[in-house]
Amino acid sequence: MRILWIVLLALPCAAQPRWWMDTPVRLVQTNLRETDAGLDARKLVQQVAELRANALLFGMGGIAAYYPTAVELHYPSPHLPPGRDLFGEVLAEAHARGIRVVGRFDLSKAPKAVYDAHPEWFVRTAKGEPVVYNGLYSACINGGYYRRHALKILSEALERYEVDGLFFNMFGNPVYDYSGKYIGPCHCESCRKAFNARFRKPLPDRFDAEHDAFMRDSRLEVAAKIGDLIHAKRPNAGFFTYIQEYVDGIMSESNTAVDRPLPLWPYSASDNVNRARNSEPSKMAINLCMSFVDIPYRFATVPPTEIQLRLYQNMAHGAGPAFAVLGTPEQDDRTAWNAARPVYQWHAEHEDLYVGQESAARVLVLAAGAQQDEYRGLFRILSENHIPFAVVSNMRDLERRAKAYDVVIAPDGAPSLEAYLKDGGRVLATGATRRSFERLPREVRRWESTRSAYFRVGDKSLFPSLKDIDVVFLDGAYLEFEAKSPLTLIPPARFGPPEKVWTDKVETAKPGLLLTDYGRGRLAYLPWNIGALYYRHSSPAHAGLIADIVDHLLPEGRQLKTNAHPLVEITVMRQPARNRTLVHLLNMSGHSQTAYFPPVQMRDIEVTLAGPFHRARSVRLGRDLPVAREGRYARFTLPELGTYDVLVLQ
């Protein structure tokens, strides 16, 4: 499913009992096809129960209903036997086994009969044509289908069934169709009038900032109505979709695509759950591990180890395992389902570990507005250097929230946190985009290209990781300032043939790092895209530079020290209700380029963690680990690590 991701400002949802927050959730989604309407409900629920899932996301209505709907212009699957109530059967079977059911709706499209009755409800291209895919017409978020008719459909579903929640796929207008064809802004009458009333201008032919804001607010208006309806008719049911506002659970996906640019992003689940849980701590993150390779190949599965890594990453960052297949568990390729089984069984056997988790990290990374490659490169550096960090992607009360952290990292495009800095905060900012810091020295100029440039490493005491490295390479844009720096620019010079290399080299005092006191705080600013360079090239010099700057900014040193391999992902979580800390260790050593193999077993992983801990227990090994106190730290050693373990500290 291709989703247009737009970071939104979060609003509180209605107060209500919240099973998705208060109980451990193991969710499985069976994405029904029309032809699945004759499936055996009892058998399906039995398969879900055998997986040890306790929540089922199951097709309910929208494009096709799986119950005998009485709402006009809402049609059952043509393969649903007359009089059969498949959804009702599945709901009854699941509830009898203690499995919660979340009904799935897709309101983004409707059959031709609905379009013929109300063409004004649907998306129009700039040429005035409807958007049609496999006989289905795309509904506009500002049209009557979403705004009025959908509420009739949902009211019927909520009044008839004791659902535990509703999930909405493709919530809002499409940007691309399922084949990747660009659609562009909707030009229906409702959109034209509403956009003109707000901006006093015609709709643009391509997306821009004003149209993004217009569509964001349109989605929020509909989400508010749907959320109110769900909570009014089923106070114990949750509202779930791919936005942050008005929902009870923030949905996301870890997926692959055959045309997606490399490199792969092996931290997809960690990224999605980390930012959702820390951006909206009162809401649950539900990150679906998509079992298939891509939309055109829904029955070819990704490697089993990739499935398990995603599910464990969910768990290590404060969510539960969530897994999706198209159709039923009876797949032509059953390796994904089989790979998920031991993870679900582990979670079921250790449920107490996975309720009420909160990040205990002391470093905060801002994702709001950040350029993706810059953000991902910094994400990797922190993870590979075992620096625990939380991610946020909204700006609500951010200056106050940032005070709970020792260091804030602002990738290119992210907010600058001026007030936080002046009040004693410590910030590492990166990127060649002009920042809003008031106290930066005079900017000289922006270099658009620096191919073959370097930075000279001057003060080795500041950069212990670079003791054997005197230069780090620069490529891309660079902002030149007038200031002294421990990193100085070597501008582009000759690089070939070998006889001519650096024969014209010039050393300058142009700064590659601005390091300065800022009010009562401390600012480190790299005016170039070091994160993006690391994401693309993985230079140890770039990673070491970032790690050393973070160490310089941390007032009391690192929270965690370890000899673990860089591909052992480590998260530090707290469970306040149980007065304990959890250290999750996930072995990603089996990942290689586009492949995922079983990980190499690790041995004798030493962990030193700040905190008053006197007991450490390995859940996987089922035994206590000796703990030694070293000042404000506790030190212990994990004898062996397969794929995943949790250490319980008290």
Side-chain angles (χ1 to χ4, degrees), residues 120-132:
E120 73 279 9
W121 288 355
F122 292 84
V123 171
R124 296 277 177 180
T125 67
K127 295 180 179 180
E129 300 169 345
V131 176
V132 188

Side-chain angles (χ1 to χ4, degrees), residues 6 41 54 79 86 145 199 209 220 223 300 303 348 399 476-477 526 530 575 625:
I6 298 180
N54 60 9
H79 299 272
L86 174 60
Y145 187 78
F199 295 105
L220 288 181
E399 297 277 0
L526 292 157
I530 185 172
Q575 282 185 307
L625 309 176

Side-chain angles (χ1 to χ4, degrees), residues 486-502:
L487 285 180
T488 53
L489 181 70
I490 302 173
R494 293 173 177 172
F495 52 85
E499 292 83 356
K500 293 292 187 179
V501 172
W502 263 19

Side-chain angles (χ1 to χ4, degrees), residues 112-441:
K112 187 174 187 299
V114 186
Y115 173 81
D116 290 341
H118 289 281
E120 73 279 9
W121 288 355
F122 292 84
V123 171
R124 296 277 177 180
T125 67
K127 295 180 179 180
E129 300 169 345
V131 176
V132 188
Y133 194 89
N134 283 344
L136 296 173
Y137 289 70
S138 291
C140 177
I141 194 74
N142 288 309
Y145 187 78
Y146 263 111
R147 300 272 172 157
R148 296 182 299 278
H149 192 65
L151 300 181
K152 296 179 183 178
I153 296 171
L154 298 178
S155 292
E156 176 193 55
L158 291 165
E159 291 166 3
R160 185 178 296 186
Y161 301 103
E162 292 185 9
V163 292
D164 299 290
L166 294 182
F167 161 76
F168 297 86
N169 184 53
M170 301 289 283
F171 189 77
N173 287 12
V175 178
Y176 300 91
D177 66 19
Y178 277 102
S179 294
K181 179 182 177 182
Y182 178 76
I183 295 171
C186 174
H187 282 66
C188 74
E189 186 69 13
S190 296
C191 282
R192 289 195 298 109
K193 287 182 177 179
F195 188 87
N196 182 264
R198 177 170 174 177
F199 295 105
R200 302 299 178 187
K201 60 166 51 168
L203 279 161
D205 289 341
R206 298 190 70 84
F207 294 105
D208 59 20
E210 289 180 336
H211 190 270
D212 286 348
F214 171 64
M215 294 308 298
R216 174 198 65 205
D217 293 344
S218 298
R219 282 192 298 276
L220 288 181
E221 290 168 3
V222 175
K225 291 181 179 180
I226 290 176
D228 287 345
L229 180 66
I230 293 172
H231 297 143
K233 292 188 177 294
R234 293 288 172 192
N236 295 331
F239 172 23
F240 307 99
T241 190
Y242 296 94
I243 61 174
Q244 294 184 5
E245 295 73 13
Y246 298 105
V247 298
D248 302 297
I250 302 169
M251 304 293 294
S252 57
E253 294 181 7
S254 290
N255 55 34
T256 57
V258 294
D259 294 325
R260 187 168 298 163
L262 297 177
L264 291 181
W265 185 227
Y267 295 98
S268 171
S270 294
D271 186 358
N272 290 342
V273 176
N274 189 328
R275 75 166 72 192
R277 292 291 291 120
N278 290 293
S279 296
E280 296 292 340
S282 66
K283 301 180 181 183
M284 182 47 64
I286 302 176
N287 181 64
L288 290 167
C289 170
M290 310 308 289
S291 62
F292 46 80
V293 169
D294 197 359
I295 288 174
Y297 299 103
R298 293 186 191 259
F299 300 104
T301 68
V302 299
T305 303
E306 185 174 12
I307 296 287
Q308 294 183 344
L309 284 176
R310 292 171 177 175
L311 298 176
Y312 283 130
Q313 285 180 346
N314 281 7
M315 294 153 56
H317 288 272
F323 176 72
V325 295
L326 186 81
T328 72
E330 296 170 338
Q331 300 282 304
D332 290 313
D333 183 341
R334 293 169 292 284
T335 55
W337 188 271
N338 293 338
R341 182 175 289 109
V343 183
Y344 277 68
Q345 290 174 343
W346 164 273
H347 189 278
E349 292 166 2
H350 304 286
E351 288 187 335
D352 66 302
L353 299 173
Y354 301 104
V355 179
Q357 287 194 93
E358 301 172 358
S359 175
R362 305 299 307 148
V363 173
L364 180 67
V365 179
L366 306 183
Q371 294 185 19
Q372 178 176 278
D373 287 3
E374 185 71 12
Y375 164 76
R376 287 185 172 181
L378 294 170
F379 190 112
R380 275 189 54 206
I381 291 171
L382 294 173
S383 181
E384 291 164 8
N385 281 271
H386 305 114
I387 299 172
F389 62 98
V391 177
V392 296
S393 61
N394 66 55
M395 289 289 292
R396 189 182 76 254
D397 202 18
L398 187 57
E399 297 277 0
R400 181 192 63 79
R401 295 163 65 195
K403 292 180 180 179
Y405 297 89
D406 296 329
V407 172
V408 174
I409 297 178
D412 195 356
S416 297
L417 290 183
E418 184 88 10
Y420 164 76
L421 258 175
K422 292 178 180 178
D423 197 34
R426 294 166 179 260
V427 171
L428 166 56
T430 69
T433 302
R434 290 174 176 84
R435 311 297 299 224
S436 60
F437 297 116
E438 293 178 359
R439 304 187 184 185
L440 287 180

Side-chain angles (χ1 to χ4, degrees), residues 452-456 471 488-493 502 505-508:
S452 82
Y454 297 81
F455 286 113
R456 172 74 63 187
V471 294
T488 53
L489 181 70
I490 302 173
W502 263 19
K505 175 177 72 75
V506 176
E507 300 275 354
T508 76

